[in-house]
Amino acid sequence: MIKLAGRAGSIKPSPTLSIDAKAKAMKADGIDVVGFGVGEPDFDTPGHIKDAAIKAIGDGYTKYMAVGGIDPLKDAIIEKLRRDNNLEYQRNEVIVSCGAKHSLYNLAQAMYGPGDEVMIPAPYWVSYPDQVLLNEAEPVIIPTRQEDKFALTPEQLEKHITPKTKALILNSPSNPTGLAYDKNVLEAVAELAVKHDFYVISDEIYEKLVYDGFEHVSIASLGDEIKARTFVVNGVSKSHAMTGWRMGYTAGPAEVIKVMTNIQSQSTSNPCSITQMASIEALNGPMDFLDEMLSEFDKRRRYMVERLNAMDGISCLMPVGAFYAFPNVSGIYGRSTTGRKINSSKDLAIYLLDEAKVAAVHGEAFGDDRFIRLSYATSMANIEKGLDRIEKALAQIS
Ligand code: PMP
Ligand code: GLU
């Protein structure tokens, strides 16, 4: 048996991507699977962005570029942060990476090491704890409550701060809960970060996907002291339906951005040249497609949550952001059907995939076994079909 590096042994594959791969393999075998697994917009990348990419190829943007992103793209990001988030950055405070996941990964490599604790409110996005572990630091999971709409309270946060605390990973709007932080809670969190001198990694990838008039606030915009301790991570994957293009960015203190750029220069080199040119158009160009995407997501969100809440043993909060429903399914635990007992989120996810041919992600992957995650970034017809199947499958267990 090959002896692996210690830090690599504990790393799991991304469960969201694994479930997507499984659903796609079933589809390739001719099985009619409804995919509520992976979270990516089902809309196509807007035409003007694709045109910019085609033009970039024609214009010869097919060579190595500046490792941390070309200046016109950094300038488009700086302008976006000024326009949307009331934040001022210089070019040396911004790095472009191959997706927000890569941004978070580079940040983890630059910031976390043995002896560091990184606080992660649960339910959390699947990659946060593994990226901490990969850097031999310790994830400190802070459970939040459905009754509090999964918002971390300052009291809960304070209880987990120790002399080893290095950072807090905050994700608002949140994957998987769909809930988002109000300004007053962010202010209290910022106060604690400044008082106890830890960093905040603010993952704002779902910023543009909000409903019911919710107003996203970046924690970095709440004052100079918190800005100096915050890394804003964002990208175009969700806002511009560009998951496959791989563009994400980080804005934060220049000292760390420089180290992240060095790491990138020794690993991936520059993010794809064509993607960078297309991303300039994405950030500077029109955003009218977003209204259509949002109104569609909004309809599906209401429909899915309403139907889930009508099912026996299930309770689901109405998300205010992102594109996931995160129902509490623990009311079903203990029930069984021929040869099968449902005692965990994994049991239920496997049952739904096997029996109902519906792919969903078990809540355990997000740090709370009482839930499952269903993405509504798929057509209304699929949502209706998938929910009909879930309803039928659940009626068979008692
Ligand atoms: N953060 C969160 C919370 C996400 O859901 C995702 C989705 N993959 C990412 C980061 C990574 O996005 P990207 O596709 O830009 O790497
Ligand atoms: N963020 C998406 C999800 O949670 C994409 C999958 C991934 O990057 O892990 O489904």
Side-chain angles (χ1 to χ4, degrees):
M1 193 165 138
I2 297 172
K3 191 170 180 300
L4 294 168
R7 65 178 177 281
S10 58
I11 298 306
K12 305 175 290 301
S14 161
T16 43
L17 293 181
S18 304
I19 284 161
D20 189 48
K22 194 164 178 192
K24 282 186 176 138
M26 287 171 76
K27 273 188 199 156
D29 284 343
I31 302 168
D32 171 28
V33 182
V34 176
F36 292 151
V38 77
E40 67 174 337
D42 55 318
F43 293 84
D44 199 2
T45 304
H48 64 284
I49 300 174
K50 288 186 184 175
D51 289 345
I54 293 163
K55 182 167 185 313
I57 297 173
D59 290 348
Y61 287 100
T62 54
K63 302 282 170 64
Y64 290 137
M65 287 183 145
V67 165
I70 52 175
D71 284 345
L73 178 52
K74 284 194 176 186
D75 291 347
I77 292 167
I78 289 167
E79 185 48 37
K80 182 263 167 229
L81 291 166
R82 184 181 294 137
R83 184 176 66 226
D84 295 351
N85 309 107
N86 200 21
L87 285 166
E88 287 293 333
Y89 289 100
Q90 307 300 315
R91 284 180 186 161
N92 65 352
E93 296 172 303
V94 173
I95 175 174
V96 183
S97 300
C98 312
K101 188 186 277 186
H102 188 221
S103 302
L104 291 161
Y105 180 80
N106 282 341
L107 201 42
Q109 283 243 299
M111 294 288 286
Y112 319 146
D116 289 335
E117 292 179 355
V118 180
M119 300 184 291
I120 305 174
Y124 47 72
W125 181 49
V126 293
S127 292
Y128 300 146
D130 284 84
Q131 291 192 349
V132 173
L133 288 169
L134 203 44
N135 288 286
E136 299 175 77
E138 198 187 325
V140 173
I141 307 300
I142 311 179
T144 63
R145 294 165 6 123
Q146 191 177 6
E147 302 85 280
D148 297 332
K149 297 191 170 175
F150 300 110
L152 178 67
T153 66
E155 297 73 36
Q156 283 165 330
L157 178 60
E158 194 148 28
K159 267 196 247 152
H160 291 82
I161 299 169
T162 77
K164 290 181 175 178
T165 301
K166 186 73 182 267
L168 164 72
I169 305 180
L170 209 60
N171 176 214
S172 179
S174 152
N175 174 5
T177 66
L179 292 154
Y181 280 85
D182 289 327
K183 192 173 171 198
N184 59 334
V185 182
L186 292 177
E187 278 166 348
V189 171
E191 210 170 285
L192 286 172
V194 172
K195 182 173 157 201
H196 296 279
D197 196 17
F198 60 80
Y199 296 90
V200 177
I201 318 297
S202 183
D203 180 348
E204 303 180 15
I205 192 87
Y206 293 101
E207 166 194 19
K208 295 282 176 205
L209 304 184
V210 287
Y211 315 100
D212 300 333
F214 180 84
E215 281 195 28
H216 170 82
V217 173
S218 173
I219 189 168
S221 68
L222 297 177
D224 290 344
E225 284 184 302
I226 185 63
K227 181 170 176 258
R229 284 173 181 77
T230 302
F231 295 90
V232 176
V233 173
N234 208 328
V236 290
S237 288
K238 320 288 171 173
S239 53
H240 294 74
M242 289 177 72
T243 45
W245 298 68
R246 314 309 302 135
M247 195 295 268
Y249 57 86
T250 309
E255 207 182 322
V256 179
I257 297 296
K258 188 172 171 204
V259 175
M260 289 169 70
T261 310
N262 292 344
I263 292 168
Q264 199 157 290
S265 81
Q266 299 288 11
S267 52
T268 55
S269 303
N270 62 274
C272 170
S273 56
I274 302 152
T275 292
Q276 289 200 52
M277 297 306 290
S279 298
I280 296 172
E281 176 59 25
L283 293 173
N284 289 341
M287 289 296 288
D288 43 345
F289 60 90
L290 186 66
D291 289 341
E292 191 200 328
M293 191 156 89
L294 272 179
S295 90
E296 194 53 40
F297 283 151
D298 184 24
K299 258 187 264 163
R300 300 171 186 177
R301 166 185 78 122
R302 290 170 191 282
Y303 178 79
M304 186 179 255
V305 171
E306 221 168 87
R307 284 213 48 193
L308 287 167
N309 277 322
M311 294 181 199
D312 178 39
I314 293 189
S315 79
C316 187
L317 290 177
M318 185 61 80
V320 296
F323 38 55
Y324 308 103
F326 196 58
N328 187 328
V329 291
S330 60
I332 291 167
Y333 296 172
R335 297 184 192 172
S336 55
T337 174
T338 19
R340 207 194 277 263
K341 209 165 171 66
I342 309 292
N343 276 332
S344 67
S345 59
K346 218 170 197 163
D347 289 348
L348 182 61
I350 294 170
Y351 174 64
L352 292 178
L353 192 58
D354 286 351
E355 294 301 319
K357 306 288 180 272
V358 172
V361 188
H362 47 293
E364 185 206 357
F366 306 98
D368 200 324
D369 198 32
R370 296 169 301 161
F371 297 83
I372 58 167
R373 192 193 78 175
L374 308 174
S375 163
Y376 49 87
T378 184
S379 71
M380 197 63 167
N382 265 343
I383 293 174
E384 282 170 21
K385 180 158 89 175
L387 290 169
D388 287 348
R389 290 182 183 184
I390 293 179
E391 202 167 56
K392 201 165 148 215
L394 292 186
Q396 283 162 17
I397 53 176
S398 53

